[in-house]
Amino acid sequence: MKLYLMALFCFIVGCTPFAAVYDDVSKYQQSRNSEQCIAVARYHLDKGHFSSNEKSELYQILGICFGQIGFYDDAKNSFGMAVNLSTDNDTKAKAYFNRAILLLSADTWGITDNKKNINDGCSDLSEACKLMPDKYCSEYNIKKYPPTNCK
């Protein structure tokens, strides 16, 4: 009955299944059509018919797209929204990890004093490890991709 009511609600208000939206936005991100990725992601985020974790996933793709075109502050803010919205460990760890990657590459932004970004990136990497140790800080991952700027 609950599923039927949800389907009826989505039909009335015009919901779009999240998987289709994710695939659509992800397609633009993977093809590096970042401007279209940003426009489509914002459009769907403004509709607001998704769960917190689903919005978090869209904000993460949005952050990647912003990063691809050099809007690093917007990317950092998008990953921050993703961290704040996520309610399960997997989604939150992924958001922390993505923001850590962005922050640890801050020296490529042209910022001369990026010590804060590196410290924040290391902190985010640590949080991702705490939440999902098998995925983000397994012995294999640490050996293959050591966080050289973290202590």
Side-chain angles (χ1 to χ4, degrees):
M1 180 67 166
K2 184 179 177 183
L3 184 61
Y4 175 74
L5 289 175
M6 286 177 59
L8 180 63
F9 174 77
C10 283
F11 177 75
I12 291 170
V13 298
C15 293
T16 305
F18 179 72
V21 170
Y22 184 87
D23 290 344
D24 190 31
V25 176
S26 183
K27 172 183 66 177
Y28 292 115
Q29 181 267 316
Q30 291 173 2
S31 68
R32 301 187 74 75
N33 185 349
S34 300
E35 289 84 4
Q36 189 67 25
C37 171
I38 292 166
V40 172
R42 282 184 169 164
Y43 170 79
H44 288 295
L45 285 167
D46 289 344
K47 288 177 81 171
H49 299 296
F50 302 114
S51 72
S52 294
N53 284 330
E54 290 170 340
K55 286 181 182 179
S56 176
E57 291 285 344
L58 286 178
Y59 273 111
Q60 289 182 60
I61 295 175
L62 186 61
I64 292 168
C65 290
F66 276 128
Q68 286 175 341
I69 58 174
F71 292 175
Y72 300 113
D73 289 331
D74 290 329
K76 183 178 169 183
N77 292 336
S78 292
F79 289 131
M81 286 295 296
V83 167
N84 293 337
L85 285 170
S86 55
T87 58
D88 67 32
N89 284 351
D90 189 35
T91 307
K92 189 176 281 291
K94 183 178 173 187
Y96 273 123
F97 184 78
N98 282 326
R99 189 169 67 180
I101 297 298
L102 178 77
L103 292 169
L104 290 172
S105 65
D107 60 338
T108 63
W109 300 3
I111 300 172
T112 54
D113 183 22
N114 63 357
K115 187 174 183 178
K116 180 180 178 354
N117 286 326
I118 290 173
N119 288 338
D120 290 348
C122 291
S123 176
D124 281 355
L125 189 58
S126 174
E127 287 299 318
C129 275
K130 286 178 193 173
L131 292 170
M132 299 289 293
D134 293 339
K135 189 169 187 176
Y136 294 108
C137 59
S138 68
E139 185 176 335
Y140 170 77
N141 286 339
I142 296 298
K143 284 182 179 176
K144 187 173 179 185
Y145 304 107
T148 57
N149 296 328
C150 300
K151 295 176 183 174

